[in-house]
């Protein structure tokens, strides 16, 4: 399986994402600059965290106009797995690939620490390697992770089981219903504020993030004929 890590001016978790795929997962991965106009050769698209365009206007608000985003939309519509982490999640929201919006954290502070998450849905292509309701430890690092959507959208998220990760225990940022990660209705686009790419090695303090990447590969292999 071949992954693209999309790099925007100001991305800073692209190298960690690349490392997670290449070294921890053992799959093929390439960096793709935001000006790219074709993602056809990639099976999975990864939008890493960081401070794209300096977080000006709102986090992700400028990056969503990047050339590559039309291709990310195309990949999403084709059913390819698209994962946005932290700033990547914010960009997916701004691009309309996921519903809702991000607000500044309650308390207005940037928070960088491990949090406990509950796997609220282990039946997505990103989470089948987890147990139902498993509690995992993954770091967060953001100033704008306070997820919000209107009541109708929340009802739809629940109805379609689009809420995939919730904060277990203390909610670090004030997000609605403790939401830490959601998918689109089709289930092939996942946005999450915690950083699974920073939890792929015991040296980093947790390997709990690895199962997301393993789930993607497992589900992709089960639906594609691999010839090489
Ligand atoms: N680590 C990140 O991706 C941070 C995202 C964004 N810059 C924020 O502070 O919310």
């Amino acid at each position: 399986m071949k992954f693209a890590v999309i790099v925007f001016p100001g991305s800073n978790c692209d190298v960690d994402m690349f490392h997670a795929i290449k070294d921890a997962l053992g799959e093929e991965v390439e960096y793709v600059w935001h000006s790219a106009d074709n993602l056809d050769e990639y099976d999975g698209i990864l939008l890493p965290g960081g401070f794209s365009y300096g977080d000006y206007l709102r986090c992700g608000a400028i990056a969503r106009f990047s050339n590559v985003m039309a291709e990310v939309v195309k990949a999403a519509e084709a059913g390819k797995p698209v994962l946005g982490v932290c700033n990547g999640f914010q960009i997916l929201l701004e691009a309309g690939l996921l519903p809702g919006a991000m607000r500044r954290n309650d308390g207005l502070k940037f928070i960088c620490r491990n949090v406990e998450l509950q796997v609220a849905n282990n039946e997505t292509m990103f989470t089948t390697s987890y147990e139902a309701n498993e509690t995992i430890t993954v770091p967060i690092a953001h100033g704008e992770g306070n997820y919000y959507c209107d009541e109708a959208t929340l009802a739809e998220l629940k109805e379609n089981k689009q809420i995939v990760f919730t904060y277990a225990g203390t909610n670090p940022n004030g997000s609605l219903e403790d939401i830490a990660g959601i998918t689109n209705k089709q289930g092939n686009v996942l946005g999450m504020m915690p950083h699974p790419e920073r939890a792929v090695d015991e040296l980093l303090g947790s390997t709990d993030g690895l199962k997301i990447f393993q789930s993607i590969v497992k589900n992709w292999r089960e639906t594609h004929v691999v010839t090489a």
Side-chain angles (χ1 to χ4, degrees):
M1 187 171 181
K2 188 171 176 182
F3 288 90
V5 173
I6 310 294
V7 185
F8 300 93
S11 295
N12 69 359
C13 307
D14 45 336
V15 178
D16 288 357
M17 190 68 94
F18 188 96
H19 163 75
I21 301 301
K22 189 173 192 301
D23 304 317
L25 189 68
E27 293 292 323
E28 214 180 326
V29 56
E30 286 176 0
Y31 292 112
V32 176
W33 190 231
H34 65 102
S35 56
D37 56 12
N38 195 324
L39 293 176
D40 289 352
E41 67 181 288
Y42 302 101
D43 307 305
I45 314 298
L46 305 167
L47 278 68
F51 296 76
S52 58
Y53 296 92
D55 282 349
Y56 284 106
L57 300 182
R58 285 182 311 278
C59 300
I62 302 177
R64 78 107 158 160
F65 291 105
S66 300
N67 213 43
V68 76
M69 287 310 293
E71 285 296 302
V72 174
V73 170
K74 210 169 110 187
E77 285 171 357
K80 290 185 185 179
V82 177
L83 169 64
V85 170
C86 205
N87 193 225
F89 184 9
Q90 295 163 337
I91 296 168
L92 291 175
L93 291 168
E94 291 287 340
L97 282 170
L98 291 171
M102 232 24 113
R103 300 183 299 188
R104 297 282 307 277
N105 293 344
D106 268 4
L108 307 180
K109 291 221 165 63
F110 188 97
I111 307 169
C112 184
R113 64 173 169 83
N114 275 340
V115 295
E116 304 236 298
L117 299 176
Q118 188 168 19
V119 182
N121 182 355
N122 74 334
E123 290 172 358
T124 75
M125 66 164 79
F126 303 94
T127 52
T128 45
S129 299
Y130 293 104
E131 302 296 325
N133 297 317
E134 187 176 337
T135 302
I136 60 174
T137 303
V138 180
I140 55 165
H142 59 252
E144 204 165 295
N146 184 352
Y147 178 80
Y148 182 79
C149 64
D150 62 26
E151 274 179 34
T153 306
L154 181 62
E156 213 172 294
L157 289 178
K158 288 181 177 173
E159 170 83 21
N160 301 322
K161 295 188 167 179
Q162 289 171 249
I163 301 171
V164 176
F165 295 108
T166 53
Y167 297 107
T170 317
N171 178 332
N173 52 32
S175 69
L176 188 70
E177 302 250 340
D178 303 326
I179 288 173
I182 57 168
T183 62
N184 62 344
K185 200 169 172 184
Q186 296 70 26
N188 68 307
V189 178
L190 170 66
M192 62 188 293
M193 288 315 289
H195 289 266
E197 80 285 2
R198 296 188 193 179
V200 296
D201 193 311
E202 289 298 352
L203 264 179
L204 299 171
S206 169
T207 57
D208 289 349
L210 194 53
K211 285 183 186 169
I212 292 183
F213 303 110
Q214 290 170 337
S215 301
I216 297 172
V217 174
K218 182 170 175 286
N219 288 296
W220 185 84
R221 291 240 156 88
E222 280 169 6
T223 49
H224 291 77
V225 177
V226 178
T227 51

